[in-house]
Amino acid sequence: MTPPAALVPAMPHLLAGDPAPSWAELAAATRTVGDRLRAARVDTVLLLSTQWFTVLGHQVQCDDRLRGRRTDENWYAYDYGHLDHDLAVDVELAHAWADAIDAAGMQARRTRYDGFPVDTGSVVASRLLDPDGRGRWAQVSCNLYADPSAMAEVAAAGVRAASGLGRRPGVVAVSGLSSGLTPRWIRPSEDRVEPEHDRWNRKVLDAIAAGDRDAVLGMREEFAAAAQADSQFRAVAFLAGGGAVDRPGEVLAYGPVWGTGAAVVWWNEQET
Amino acid sequence: MARVFHVTAGSGRSAARRAPRHEPAPGPAAVPAGPSGGGGIVAGYLAPHPPHLVYAENPPQNEPRSTGGWEVLRWGYEELRRRLKAHRPDVLVVHAPHWITMVGHHVNCVPNPRGVSVEPIFPHLFRYHYDFRTDVDLAEAIVDEGARAGLVTSALREEGVRVDYATIGALHLANPDWDLPVVSLSANNNPYYYSDASLAEMETLGAATRRAIERTGRRAVLLASNSLSHLHWDTEPELPEDMGVERPFDHAQYAGDMALLQTIREGPTSRLKEAVPAHIEATSSETKAGSLTWLLAAMGWPAIAGDVLAYGTVIATGNAVVEWVP
């Protein structure tokens, strides 16, 4: 069985008390993904957030409880810049995932430190996907210095580890699409994606919706260069490694978040 | 090795949007502080921040313990500390690339930042207990002068924002006693959206910083918390301080650093207006975050040479400790 998977946005604006229409749509779509993950009886979500970016090895979160408040270093002046969080980590799966990364010839780094700062993307996604806080998570970092294809191997290792433990995993990548972040303070109603980036985002999403894996992965590098894609769109490599992308993805929402492109995409689980 | 740090900043359109809205008029040269202790910028330092250097030193504030390593760079910092004290500054002003702000240039105006900074990239090396004082008057003056110059600025007054390792690292390595007030500036760049700072904006921010320092009459030392060549390994040895594997990423990175340092040693600093962008292009230098350009612009691009106190690599990145005294 190929696990269900999703791409969800990373920006905290989705939690705004007075959101732009696109922020509200993206938030609602992310909640829908959470509903579907629960309907699919997912035990643990394998989570990659590009906002937990690292440079040495692949860090796997091994703390059993990530509880606290994050004050975002950029958005602190807004309500959505103050993010309470409480994530339950599937520690057994986290260790198995780290072991699988090592076994695949990569370098896993087991992370368990009091006061570890959970990134904004992980907090936003977890609050929308799991508003009741009943879910379990296994988190890996996004190594910006490793080849993007490494993220596919990392995800595949996670799925193997989950299977080995008899877990039903879901695979979720928390990432934006294009950059083009608006470099000034704006009102929500002013939010838009610049046309060239919008064209690229739609091109990528069309290929995802068509289930054209080769096209999606083939355009990743060009997309990254042309639209300054979030973390060179390593998210799609992670999703591909988790078994998504080679079947049609359902684009639940797409829109701007402070000038960046953001989308919610869902892939049903599939018999293999 | 990924190329995430090679890309040009934003699209042409977004880069244009990020340019200052008002090009400031050329300002006067920096006013050097007199020997009697008058206000002004008394020295500037390129002060790289790899957490490995703090880790290697085993200060009481940092939880992890090491067996040392990267000694030559740390000896350079020892000399920096000696010289810094001789300058008798009122305040240290630091620009650091890992307080990443997506919108605008932020200045920490929290009077007493304190907490534990667990670094998400290097948590095994850097879990630092910090507790320092901010020169709030100067911090607010920089926000004000930056805004007057057409920059998007923001005064951080929220207590809960974790201070990043590039800010703490440079400040600790320059002044481990933490007995001087601090002003901390963010880097308006973002490795996962657009990569590079606008160096034109850093010129503007530097000039604004200088005006604020002069307006408040402070004797200030500036710290540009940047490494140089920035390609590096994506894995780590079992012993992080294993110097048997520490070396430049490749010869081109090393040669690029040496070319820049030779220009610095020869002076004048105005040559760096061309040399820094060329070095960024050649080596993905961390100066793309703008800290060095900010520092030299604040000092008015003085017609002097820099004094290179040390050079060494950290996980293959190039790092130099350099002093400029106007």
Side-chain angles (χ1 to χ4, degrees):
Chain A
M1 181 74 75
T2 303
L7 171 70
V8 300
M11 297 283 270
H13 307 67
L14 275 60
L15 298 174
D18 182 19
S22 68
W23 307 352
E25 290 169 18
L26 290 161
T30 305
R31 289 189 191 95
T32 297
V33 167
D35 293 339
R36 292 183 181 186
L37 289 170
R38 283 183 289 279
R41 293 178 290 113
V42 163
D43 295 315
T44 301
V45 170
L46 303 173
L47 187 73
L48 168 80
S49 169
T50 57
Q51 291 194 18
W52 182 14
F53 57 89
T54 56
V55 299
L56 295 173
H58 303 281
Q59 293 189 37
V60 180
Q61 181 57 258
C62 293
D63 198 344
D64 64 343
R65 201 89 198 185
L66 302 169
R67 185 182 290 139
R69 164 172 273 218
R70 176 179 180 79
T71 305
D72 188 275
E73 60 272 24
N74 188 83
W75 307 110
Y76 51 79
Y78 297 90
D79 58 342
Y80 49 82
H82 303 269
L83 304 165
D84 292 321
H85 56 83
D86 186 2
L87 285 79
V89 173
D90 184 340
V91 174
E92 186 181 24
L93 176 52
H95 281 284
W97 193 357
D99 291 344
I101 289 170
D102 283 334
M106 298 176 285
Q107 185 178 57
R109 307 180 67 81
R110 293 149 185 85
T111 300
R112 190 193 186 292
Y113 301 102
D114 290 343
F116 186 88
V118 182
D119 66 281
T120 292
S122 293
V123 175
V124 172
S126 64
R127 281 183 45 175
L128 292 169
L129 292 170
D130 181 31
D132 296 329
R134 295 177 184 167
R136 287 194 301 176
W137 309 87
Q139 275 187 285
V140 72
S141 70
C142 182
N143 186 327
L144 292 179
Y145 272 68
D147 190 277
S149 63
M151 295 317 302
E153 297 179 51
V154 167
V159 173
R160 281 197 303 277
S163 174
L165 293 173
R167 302 281 201 280
R168 290 175 62 86
V171 177
V172 173
V174 184
S175 172
L177 299 177
S178 65
S179 67
L181 187 127
T182 306
R184 58 187 173 81
W185 307 113
I186 60 173
R187 291 186 298 276
S189 58
E190 297 177 78
D191 203 354
R192 55 189 49 82
V193 178
E194 67 175 71
E196 180 63 12
H197 286 182
D198 183 58
R199 188 182 72 78
W200 263 106
N201 292 334
R202 292 180 188 278
K203 181 178 176 181
V204 168
L205 291 173
D206 286 348
I208 286 174
D212 190 343
R213 182 179 191 277
D214 290 344
V216 172
L217 296 180
M219 70 176 71
R220 186 199 59 76
E221 195 164 342
E222 194 181 357
F223 175 49
Q228 296 283 298
D230 184 341
S231 303
Q232 297 183 308
F233 210 28
R234 281 173 165 77
V236 79
F238 182 81
L239 290 163
V245 187
D246 60 353
R247 57 191 190 278
E250 181 183 359
V251 179
L252 297 175
Y254 164 70
V257 181
W258 214 278
T260 69
V264 179
V265 183
W266 168 258
W267 288 268
N268 279 311
E269 63 185 333
Q270 189 177 52
E271 296 286 348
T272 52
Chain B
M1 200 11 261
R3 284 171 291 166
V4 67
F5 294 120
H6 290 238
V7 291
T8 306
S11 65
R13 184 171 305 181
S14 67
R17 281 205 318 262
R18 300 181 64 229
R21 282 170 290 169
H22 311 291
E23 195 60 38
V31 177
S36 60
I41 297 169
V42 295
Y45 294 95
L46 179 60
H49 58 259
H52 307 70
L53 302 181
V54 176
Y55 162 74
E57 193 176 282
N58 290 316
Q61 299 98 326
N62 198 33
E63 292 178 6
R65 296 292 98 183
S66 78
T67 60
W70 302 281
E71 276 77 6
V72 175
L73 276 167
R74 293 195 287 123
W75 294 339
Y77 264 113
E78 287 180 9
E79 177 61 13
L80 183 158
R81 292 169 186 173
R82 190 187 65 75
R83 296 186 183 194
L84 188 150
K85 286 201 183 298
H87 292 305
R88 296 178 293 106
D90 300 320
V91 61
L92 301 178
V93 186
V94 60
H95 186 278
H98 296 299
W99 177 12
I100 297 168
T101 51
M102 300 180 189
V103 182
H105 305 272
H106 299 221
V107 184
N108 193 333
C109 295
V110 176
N112 178 205
R114 57 191 183 278
V116 184
S117 185
V118 178
E119 168 48 45
I121 298 178
F122 304 103
H124 59 307
L125 304 180
F126 196 86
R127 302 191 300 279
Y128 192 99
H129 296 249
Y130 60 94
D131 182 349
F132 61 88
R133 289 174 296 130
T134 296
D135 183 337
V136 176
D137 289 344
L138 176 57
E140 290 176 339
I142 294 173
V143 173
D144 181 48
E145 291 289 350
R148 283 173 193 253
L151 298 176
V152 176
T153 60
S154 181
L156 166 65
R157 301 184 193 282
E158 303 287 333
E159 295 273 353
V161 174
R162 178 181 64 88
V163 179
D164 65 284
Y165 76 91
T167 298
I168 295 172
L171 288 167
H172 171 91
L173 291 163
N175 180 34
D177 294 336
W178 292 92
D179 56 355
L180 292 168
V182 167
V183 174
S184 158
L185 281 67
S186 78
N188 177 212
N189 65 96
N190 189 322
Y192 47 93
Y193 287 112
Y194 42 73
S195 293
D196 300 355
S198 158
L199 295 186
E201 281 199 19
M202 300 313 296
E203 286 258 13
T204 306
L205 183 64
T209 302
R210 179 178 73 233
R211 286 193 297 275
I213 289 167
E214 291 171 355
R215 197 175 102 193
T216 53
R218 299 293 196 271
R219 286 175 63 85
V221 163
L222 306 189
L223 304 174
S225 176
N226 277 166
S227 295
L228 297 180
S229 62
H230 219 55
L231 300 188
H232 64 69
W233 319 127
D234 61 17
T235 58
E236 187 179 56
E238 190 66 30
L239 181 70
E241 60 267 38
D242 182 351
M243 294 294 101
V245 297
E246 186 60 77
R247 60 179 175 83
F249 187 82
D250 59 26
H251 182 65
Q253 295 277 295
Y254 177 80
D257 284 349
M258 290 306 111
L260 183 80
L261 291 175
Q262 186 62 27
T263 304
I264 287 173
R265 295 175 71 238
E266 291 170 356
T269 61
S270 58
R271 292 175 63 202
L272 295 170
K273 290 184 180 181
E274 290 186 3
V276 166
H279 180 247
I280 292 169
E281 181 67 25
T283 70
S284 299
S285 173
E286 198 183 33
T287 57
K288 65 187 175 294
S291 309
L292 178 57
T293 300
W294 161 80
L295 179 144
L296 294 169
M299 297 181 75
W301 298 95
I304 57 174
D307 192 2
V308 178
L309 306 183
Y311 175 84
T313 62
V314 178
I315 61 170
T317 65
N319 295 272
V321 181
V322 181
E323 181 188 59
W324 289 271
V325 179

